[in-house]
Amino acid sequence: MIIYFKNALTRKNLMALTGLFLSFFLIIHLLGNLQLLLPEEQAQLQYNAYSHFLSGNIVIKLVSYVLYACILLHTLDAIYLGIKSKRANGQKLSRDRRSRASTWQSRNMMFLGIIIFLFLVIHFKDFWYQYKFGELPKDANDNKDLYTLVVNAFDSIWYVILYSISFLALGFHLVHGVASAHRSLGLYHPFYSKLVRIVGYIFSISITLGYLIIPIFIYLKH
């Protein structure tokens, strides 16, 4: 059962904590996916062995449950805070001059989040569900051949475009999210706020480019 906190600040804390966990997961997931850029035969065996290890490790399974919970909580709280903000400000937001004091991504976090969530649904259906419950062929080491499933998906230009749009949305989402997380957790200080923004930009750009390289590289190669 999900407990809804009455205090908006508590919700923002939850948003920040789940967002930071998801950001950490993005790093780990990217490092694993970069194996797809290896020479084809090596990439197939190594990536499939990596996937097999993740699916059979009890610690990883427990972490995955935390991941699913964080995605759900982050999404629900984002929707709640977005709706509450719109109700609190009414139509005033459509007539003010917020663009002079705020960034585009900060004003469109819910829109960016919806794109990311829809992508996750598609991503889980095409890869996670197929790997867990589908009938995949085996590779030379008798592991499920997730590598070929991924490569075949990125053979489609439309899937590459969908993937690219989703991670561009994620990049903008991270730019604002990382910078605002320390404020939500009460860690804001003028001395290092600029440094946090710079680190947020570097992290967001690195994650976005890292994930974008993979489908584009596979599509051009195959």
Side-chain angles (χ1 to χ4, degrees):
M1 177 179 180
I2 299 175
I3 300 175
Y4 285 89
F5 299 99
K6 294 182 179 179
N7 190 323
L9 181 60
T10 303
R11 285 184 173 279
K12 290 183 178 180
N13 289 340
L14 184 61
M15 279 282 291
L17 290 172
T18 54
L20 290 174
F21 178 84
L22 293 173
S23 296
F24 176 73
F25 169 77
L26 284 171
I27 299 173
I28 304 301
H29 192 55
L30 176 59
L31 293 175
N33 284 356
L34 287 176
Q35 296 174 98
L36 294 166
L37 304 181
L38 294 171
E40 188 169 354
E41 290 186 7
Q42 181 184 357
Q44 181 184 30
L45 296 178
Q46 191 165 314
Y47 186 71
N48 290 339
Y50 164 77
S51 302
H52 178 74
F53 169 76
L54 293 182
S55 66
N57 188 290
I58 185 62
V59 176
I60 301 299
K61 284 185 177 181
L62 293 175
V63 172
S64 69
Y65 296 142
V66 177
L67 172 65
Y68 305 147
C70 283
I71 292 174
L72 184 60
L73 287 171
H74 197 78
T75 302
L76 292 176
D77 277 327
I79 294 172
Y80 174 84
L81 291 172
I83 293 174
K84 185 173 182 178
S85 177
K86 285 183 178 295
R87 286 179 176 175
N89 292 280
Q91 298 301 317
K92 175 183 165 184
L93 292 182
S94 63
R95 299 192 300 269
D96 66 16
R97 298 182 177 181
R98 289 182 306 151
S99 59
R100 296 185 178 182
S102 61
T103 60
W104 177 87
Q105 57 268 16
S106 68
R107 300 191 303 274
N108 292 275
M109 286 295 279
M110 181 178 288
F111 171 69
L112 295 169
I114 290 172
I115 294 176
I116 296 167
F117 183 78
L118 291 177
F119 168 75
L120 284 175
V121 172
I122 296 172
H123 190 70
F124 272 84
K125 177 184 74 68
D126 290 347
F127 299 118
W128 179 86
Y129 183 85
Q130 291 297 324
Y131 187 83
K132 289 289 187 180
F133 306 106
E135 294 294 331
L136 294 182
K138 300 292 185 69
D139 64 13
N141 290 336
D142 202 35
N143 291 320
K144 289 186 176 181
D145 194 4
L146 181 61
Y147 172 83
T148 299
L149 181 65
V150 173
V151 168
N152 288 340
F154 290 142
D155 255 351
S156 168
I157 185 61
W158 297 111
Y159 203 92
V160 173
I161 291 173
L162 170 66
Y163 198 95
S164 300
I165 291 174
S166 300
F167 273 96
L168 286 173
L170 175 65
F172 282 109
H173 193 83
L174 288 173
V175 166
H176 175 71
V178 173
S180 64
H182 74 298
R183 288 175 178 268
S184 298
L185 294 173
L187 302 176
Y188 174 78
H189 190 282
F191 179 76
Y192 59 77
S193 63
K194 185 176 181 180
L195 176 61
V196 171
R197 287 197 301 271
I198 293 173
V199 171
Y201 271 104
I202 294 174
F203 173 75
S204 304
I205 293 172
S206 301
I207 289 294
T208 303
L209 291 179
Y211 277 100
L212 286 178
I213 287 172
I214 296 171
I216 294 173
F217 175 84
I218 294 176
Y219 178 78
L220 294 176
K221 183 178 179 181
H222 292 270

